[in-house]
Amino acid sequence: MKDHYDLIVIGAGHAGIEASSAASRMGLETLLITLKRDTIGLMSCNPAIGGVGKGQLVKEIDALGGIMAKAADACAIGYRMLNMSKGPAVRSSRAQIDRIRYNNYMVNLIGSSERLDILEREVSQILIKEKKTIGIKTIKGEKIYAKVVLIAAGTFLNGLIHIGLKSNIGGRFNEPASLDLSENLKELGFKTMRFKTGTCARLLKSTINFSKLDKQLLDSEPIAFSFLGKPSSLKQLPCFITYTNEKTHEIIKKGLKFSPLYTGKIRARGVRYCPSIEDKVVKFPHHARHQIFLEPEGLDVDEFYPNGVSTSLPQDLQIEMLHSIKGLEDVKIVRPGYGIEYEVVDPTELFPTLETKSIKNLYLVGQINGTTGYEEAAALGLIGGINASLKAKGKDGFVLDRSTSYIGVLIDDLVTKGTQEPYRMFTSRVEYRLSLREDNADLRLAKFGFDLGLVEKCNYEAMLEKRKIIEAEVERLKKTTIRPTESVNIFLQQFKSSPLKRQITLAELLKRPQINYEQLKDLDDNCKLSGEIAQSLTSEFKYEPFIRRQKEEVKRFKNLEKIKIPDKLDFSSIAGLSREVKEKLSQLKPLTLGAASRISGITPASISILMVWLKKIGKGKGNETRVG
Ligand code: FAD
């Protein structure tokens, strides 16, 4: 360990590892500090990567040159493409992951990276000089200096773990909390909030009666997370499905007086879309049962994760509740479920580069920004790591806007609107989701990753080749015609698609809702594409009018986004703006007129006034941020 680095990352969870890996690959001497070296990349909760809206994040991380997708493919033990019955805009990859293999993969990858040192220590303080960070101080009093510092402390800041009415200080099961750093952030003036999340008990596999349970089928032809990678070669294991019942609900209701959630002991805001089983039973009394997915934790572990019964009830009630469920009548638990309260920093205190507005060269990434989930944390870590590295090199920042990516939406939502509860990514948050699909994340983003030095030349060239192949096939399908012969109409009939009355192009045929590219192969031997490229092509044709309309909307969006607001603009001097609008703009310091328009309470009228004002003072173009 040296006493000077270019960049220091505090925390080796999903955010910290993306940040430190990106920084070291961008040429910076990097130090990654973690409370426990062997927990690098540990999955604190469910053994899975991806999910609705999250799969898109993983694909985008991969396209930009991050590491999560490759790690997931190396350790996946069951792939499923979610929402297959719905349109391609909302389809998302998810894979069951071998938790120990993933942890080991990350320990080895990070441990063997060039220009990346690892230190097992607790950071207690951020060193500041003239409103700029200059390094960190550890709990042992060591001072280590750096040009930029990133904090990726996850659920550890002032963490408090609850099992029933017993609570103990901790950042994760059997791990200490980070108290001094939490205090230090408050002393530095950061506005913190207290959030809550929870996890379920882990079950001993050999005590589950699988013969009573339904199996969940896996994809027979899985698609890898990583664009140029292959799906995992590990043995694939199914999940199983069971349900709570009235007896389970009675046990839970009886136990509410011992639940920290319902006795008022936990006051923090929890994850709305991932409620505890206590919350589900109380808030949805009309539901006779709740679904539980029993997910394997790995190939060599005798543990299952019962997804859907996250709880902070006392351990004896957890067991009683589980025993009331079909297939779990004799189950033994390996570890109890628990709830955890922790502190986050209000993300509106950040620029879209994830640098803090009040302290230069200090970046916050991951769950500390108010999110929940490995994928959200990793995406923030990657973008924070990229920006911190650019800052250390004296270069402009890198910001993806809402029209380019899910990552752009995630960050814009956080820094312009803030969040009052753990923020989870969903496809519904993304206004241009028809264009921002999983299958085209590389076409959208690999150029940025390549320019930043994170995507290798050969991989970038592979993406260019993919684009060429798609464009050539689009042209060919537009030119190739098909005649209304008897055999063609018999073919169409089997997909309940109306018969042809005249000659049409294959492109026109592909626009029909019942027809996809795979089926065209029976009509035309030259349709040779497959997998994700074929899916991409099908979507572009089918949704062509909608995508065209979205492109128009994006143009309008970009026009507002192009109008930059100088960072030193004195909003209080702008006549015509209400006091509320002036206060909000001064506090949130939006970088563009587009960002200003998305702040709640900022009216279209105030945007017009601001636009006129910016024109008058001759501003509105150029600031330090490059918008991707
Ligand atoms: P973490 O993975 O928490 O990593 C934090 C890192 O910071 C660790 O390496 C730690 O050692 C280090 N650290 C902290 N303080 C210091 C310090 N002072 N000095 C040095 N190192 C420090 N997500 C979901 O999507 N769904 C869920 O249902 C869900 N449930 C969860 C339940 C529980 C009980 C927990 C703990 C988490 C849950 N999560 C869930 C959240 C998920 O685990 C996180 O979103 C994700 O791990 C956050 O990644 P991160 O990198 O920000 O932080």
Side-chain angles (χ1 to χ4, degrees), residues 556-567:
R556 282 197 292 278
F557 161 82
K558 291 254 187 205
N559 284 341
L560 271 193
E561 222 57 23
K562 264 188 228 148
I563 304 177
K564 311 285 182 200
I565 301 177
D567 45 357

Side-chain angles (χ1 to χ4, degrees), residues 11-15 35 44-45 54 121 123 152 154 178 197-198 274 367 372-373:
H14 308 276
L35 294 174
S44 325
C45 192
K54 291 169 174 264
R121 208 67 104 238
V123 173
S178 184
T197 187
C274 207
Q367 187 131 349
T372 173

